[in-house]
């Protein structure tokens, strides 16, 4: 009927006004969020850059690019991380960083997140892949310092990192007599067992006297 048509048209106009008002509110929220991200981008980038440089990438440059675009559940921004290990012409980190550089960047970003999100537990699954030597030692120190404010589990194959922890657990996989069904177990290492495991990580299947002394030295540096 004509009455029903008029009522529907009036209802449509009312809903359109409500939708326009809500879009305006949403755009205002997105604009404020964008302004906050732009303001935080430079100090955030400088903090990450400083942390990365402390992990033996002395010339590294890290920047955050915030670009406003279409509205999404996380606002109206797309964010890109730009990086250069040499300090020249930073580009999208996914296009330029090596495995070891990505590991260091990820650790620094996780450390920043942990500082502000108040996570009770953080688990690193070989975040130190692609690094070794003194860099691994420094990454282990950074992971250990994060453990002062939260519980941190670090799965690693690097003795420099394993030696930093207050507790050391060994994950072992065994097979049944037919060799078809694997069983994984976890057990804590203490005292001499821990020294020998660190030494094994240093030297391989043949544990040498030099590796044992090196393991003792690493554990004494905690």
């Amino acid at each position: 009927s004509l009455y029903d048509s008029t009522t529907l048209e009036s209802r449509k106009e009312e809903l359109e006004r409500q939708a326009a008002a809500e879009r305006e509110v949403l755009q205002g929220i997105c604009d404020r969020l964008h302004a906050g991200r732009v303001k935080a981008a430079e100090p955030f980038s400088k903090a990450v850059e400083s942390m990365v440089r402390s992990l033996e990438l002395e010339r590294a440059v890290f920047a955050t690019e915030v670009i406003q675009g279409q509205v999404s559940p996380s606002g109206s921004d797309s964010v890109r991380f730009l990086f250069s290990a040499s300090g020249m012409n930073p580009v999208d980190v996914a296009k330029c960083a090596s495995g070891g550089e990505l590991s260091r960047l990820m650790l620094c970003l996780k450390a920043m997140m942990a500082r502000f999100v108040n996570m009770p537990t953080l688990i690193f699954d070989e975040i130190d892949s692609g690094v070794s030597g003194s860099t691994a030692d420094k990454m282990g120190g950074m992971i250990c310092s994060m453990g002062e404010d939260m519980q941190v589990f670090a799965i690693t194959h690097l003795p420099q990192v394993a030696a930093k922890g207050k507790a050391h657990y060994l994950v072992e996989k065994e097979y049944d007599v037919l060799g078809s069904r694997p069983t994984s177990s976890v057990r804590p290492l203490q005292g001499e067992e821990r020294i020998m495991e660190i030494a094994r990580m240093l030297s391989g299947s043949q544990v040498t006297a030099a590796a044992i002394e090196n393991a003792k030295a690493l554990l004494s540096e905690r």
Side-chain angles (χ1 to χ4, degrees), residues 19 65 94 122 127 133 144 180 208:
E65 185 178 73
L122 197 58
I127 198 168
C144 194
S180 58
T208 64

Side-chain angles (χ1 to χ4, degrees), residues 29-196:
I29 294 171
C30 288
D31 289 343
R32 291 194 298 274
L33 185 56
H34 173 75
R37 284 170 171 161
V38 170
K39 182 179 180 181
E42 184 173 356
F44 169 76
S45 298
K46 291 299 181 185
V48 174
E49 183 178 281
S50 176
M51 294 174 71
V52 170
R53 288 185 174 187
S54 73
L55 298 176
E56 300 189 359
L57 287 174
E58 295 83 358
R59 296 179 180 272
V61 172
F62 181 87
T64 305
E65 185 178 73
V66 182
I67 304 171
Q68 197 165 23
Q70 296 296 318
V71 175
S72 73
S74 59
S76 60
D77 298 314
S78 61
V79 178
R80 287 203 311 156
F81 294 141
L82 309 179
F83 175 75
S84 170
S86 66
M88 302 292 290
N89 303 320
V91 297
D92 193 317
V93 66
K95 297 179 179 179
C96 68
S98 67
E101 290 162 357
L102 280 174
S103 293
R104 281 174 270 192
L105 279 170
M106 282 299 298
L107 178 58
C108 294
L109 289 171
K110 291 287 188 180
M112 290 289 292
M113 287 173 55
R115 187 180 303 173
F116 295 104
V117 179
N118 294 323
M119 292 182 287
T121 302
L122 197 58
I123 301 174
F124 292 123
D125 187 359
E126 296 190 47
I127 198 168
D128 47 28
S129 61
V131 301
S132 59
S134 58
T135 302
D137 184 71
K138 290 176 181 178
M139 289 183 73
M142 185 179 291
I143 293 171
C144 194
S145 66
M146 294 169 66
E148 297 174 1
D149 301 312
M150 67 182 68
Q151 182 173 240
V152 177
F153 290 93
I155 301 168
T156 182
H157 291 287
L158 294 181
Q160 297 93 333
V161 176
K164 297 287 185 183
K166 293 182 178 178
H168 189 169
Y169 292 83
L170 178 64
V171 181
E172 296 176 300
K173 181 180 289 186
E174 297 178 345
Y175 290 85
D176 60 15
V177 292
L178 298 177
S180 58
R181 180 177 297 176
T183 301
S184 296
S185 61
V186 181
R187 63 184 179 89
L189 300 179
Q190 295 177 346
E192 191 68 21
E193 273 193 320
R194 188 173 189 189
I195 293 172
M196 294 305 294

